[in-house]
């Protein structure tokens, strides 16, 4: 009999009843960073995974999308599924044009498989350097993948910790496609948005063809969801980082929920509050429209109206 693996101890399930945001998302808003987990019975997790999550399937993702007033999703392959993209592809297909995917592939991936992923709605691959999530392949293997996907017009999503940027940025700069950086390069908020580490990150963004996801304040925050100004102005210590990126690179920023929020063991964010973080970092209608609609549409649905 097929038995399902137990969740990683301490794993928090996603927040079942998100609050209604005060901020109203503009029509056509895109959640450009979210995942699906399984469900495990239909899409088993990968043997090499570093965690075993709760189920978070496409139906629940689409319910959250509709509840928050999101129009489209970009579904990023989660590491718990390794290089088996079937749960992500199934979700992208089921969204009927309202989702795109980011895959994980191995260097020996066949061209026919890349073409099938492209036809399903995949528009990029993710290279992950976060040690608690993956044993990152050698850069030579990633270079092979980059060379294979570049002709499709895809981009590469990069996930790394800010402390690792000095070591990685030469490699990143050598990649032949546009780059999309997860969670603002995971800054250490204790070091300040004007500090040398985040300034170095912004210089990297300035010099290359790079998009930045202004995402995951809940992962970066030290003060947490309800600091300083009460519940509807959450994660205030992350605000200066997001605001700096939006002000300096307003035409290359993206936003997403990160639902179902992998690996959070101290608190699980209320997705409604994550929406209410947005007007703190994108402070006027033009910034909000670019972040939530114009930029993700240009990258993931070029030529289509929102
Ligand atoms: C995120 C962040 C994390 C995990 C993954 O694919 C994943 O497992 O991305 C994390 O643990 O920081 O972007 O979802």
């Amino acid at each position: 009999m097929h038995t399902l693996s137990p969740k990683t101890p301490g794993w928090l399930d996603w927040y079942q009843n998100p609050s209604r945001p005060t901020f109203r998302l503009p029509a056509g808003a895109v959640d450009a960073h979210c995942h699906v987990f399984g469900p495990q019975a239909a899409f088993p997790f990968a043997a090499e995974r570093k965690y075993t999550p709760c189920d978070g399937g496409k139906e629940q993702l689409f319910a959250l999308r509709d509840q928050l007033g999101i129009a489209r999703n970009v579904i990023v392959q989660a590491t718990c599924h390794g290089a088996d993209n079937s749960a992500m592809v199934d979700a992208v297909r089921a969204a009927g044009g309202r989702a795109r995917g980011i895959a994980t592939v191995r260097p020996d991936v066949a061209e026919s498989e890349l073409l099938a992923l492209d036809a399903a709605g995949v528009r990029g691959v993710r290279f992950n350097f976060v040690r608690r999530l993956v044993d990152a392949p050698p850069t030579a293997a990633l270079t092979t993948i980059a060379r294979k996907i570049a002709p499709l017009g895809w981009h590469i999503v990069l996930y790394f910790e800010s402390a690792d940027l000095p070591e990685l940025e030469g490699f990143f700069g050598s990649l032949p496609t546009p780059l999309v950086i997860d969670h603002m390069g995971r800054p250490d908020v204790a070091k300040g948005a004007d500090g040398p580490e985040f300034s170095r990150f912004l210089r990297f963004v300035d010099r290359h063809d790079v998009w930045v996801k202004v995402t995951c304040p809940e992962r970066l925050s030290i003060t947490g969801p309800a600091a300083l100004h009460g519940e509807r102005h959450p994660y205030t210590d992350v605000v200066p980082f997001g605001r700096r990126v939006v002000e300096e690179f307003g035409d290359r920023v993206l936003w997403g929920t990160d639902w179902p929020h992998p690996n959070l063991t101290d608190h699980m964010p209320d997705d409604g509050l994550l929406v209410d973080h947005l007007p703190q970092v994108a402070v006027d209608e033009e910034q909000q429209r670019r972040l939530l609609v114009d930029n993700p549409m240009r990258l993931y649905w070029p030529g289509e109206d929102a």
Side-chain angles (χ1 to χ4, degrees):
M1 200 182 96
H2 179 64
T3 50
L4 302 180
S5 323
K7 284 185 294 183
T8 295
W11 186 274
L12 294 180
D13 288 358
W14 41 276
Y15 201 93
Q16 292 279 350
N17 293 301
S19 60
R20 178 190 288 270
T22 306
F23 175 63
R24 204 151 154 227
L25 290 168
V30 178
D31 175 350
H33 187 97
C34 55
H35 311 281
V36 285
F37 297 154
Q40 196 185 166
F43 301 104
F45 299 126
E48 73 273 22
R49 70 189 180 280
K50 303 277 192 197
Y51 60 79
T52 303
C54 58
D55 279 339
K58 60 179 186 282
E59 284 86 7
Q60 285 99 0
L61 175 66
F62 299 157
L64 179 78
R65 174 195 69 191
D66 296 344
Q67 187 175 348
L68 293 179
I70 288 165
R72 295 174 167 82
N73 296 100
V74 181
I75 306 175
V76 178
Q77 172 76 353
T79 57
C80 56
H81 280 296
D84 175 357
N85 294 292
S86 41
M88 178 273 290
V89 164
D90 174 69
V92 171
R93 282 218 178 93
R98 292 177 64 188
R100 297 289 191 233
I102 298 296
T104 296
V105 299
R106 306 231 188 272
D108 61 357
V109 63
E111 191 190 2
S112 56
E113 185 181 345
L114 292 175
L115 291 173
L117 288 168
D118 188 68
V122 170
R123 294 294 180 264
V125 291
R126 193 185 198 199
F127 291 176
N128 196 323
F129 300 88
V130 178
R131 281 173 266 265
R132 66 186 161 74
L133 291 173
V134 284
D135 302 318
T139 51
L142 297 175
T143 302
T144 301
I145 295 172
R147 237 189 3 249
K148 286 188 176 185
I149 60 120
L152 293 163
W154 289 10
H155 58 263
I156 296 170
V157 174
L158 299 171
Y159 191 26
F160 58 92
E161 309 266 9
S162 58
D164 295 328
L165 180 62
E167 187 192 321
L168 291 168
E169 68 184 333
F171 170 62
F172 293 166
S174 75
L175 291 168
T177 70
L179 306 175
V180 177
I181 297 182
D182 283 343
H183 319 333
M184 299 187 284
R186 284 198 69 113
D188 176 349
V189 296
K191 293 185 176 164
D194 294 322
E197 195 174 85
F198 199 57
S199 298
R200 179 179 188 141
F201 170 70
L202 295 178
R203 275 200 306 280
F204 175 77
V205 175
D206 190 38
R207 290 199 198 116
H208 297 88
D209 185 3
V210 172
W211 301 65
V212 182
K213 290 183 195 163
V214 185
T215 37
C216 284
E218 74 286 0
R219 284 182 194 284
L220 306 174
S221 179
I222 298 167
T223 54
L228 295 181
H229 303 298
E231 259 202 84
R232 303 313 304 184
H233 294 94
Y235 310 112
T236 43
D237 55 341
V238 188
V239 169
F241 293 82
R243 198 173 283 179
R244 218 179 143 193
V245 178
V246 168
E247 271 164 14
E248 293 184 28
F249 304 103
D251 59 348
R252 295 194 260 147
V253 285
L254 306 164
W255 171 82
T257 58
D258 195 33
W259 188 92
H261 309 291
N263 283 317
L264 295 180
T265 48
D266 53 352
H267 93 280
M268 179 52 55
D270 163 359
D271 296 281
L273 272 186
L274 289 177
V275 171
D276 277 341
H277 178 74
L278 272 170
Q280 301 182 88
V281 299
V283 297
D284 60 34
E285 272 182 31
E286 192 194 333
Q287 287 187 349
Q288 290 159 7
R289 200 195 59 246
R290 290 160 94 190
L291 172 66
L292 296 162
V293 185
D294 296 353
N295 297 344
M297 286 303 293
R298 204 164 75 249
L299 186 59
Y300 288 102
W301 285 269
E304 282 190 39
D305 291 331

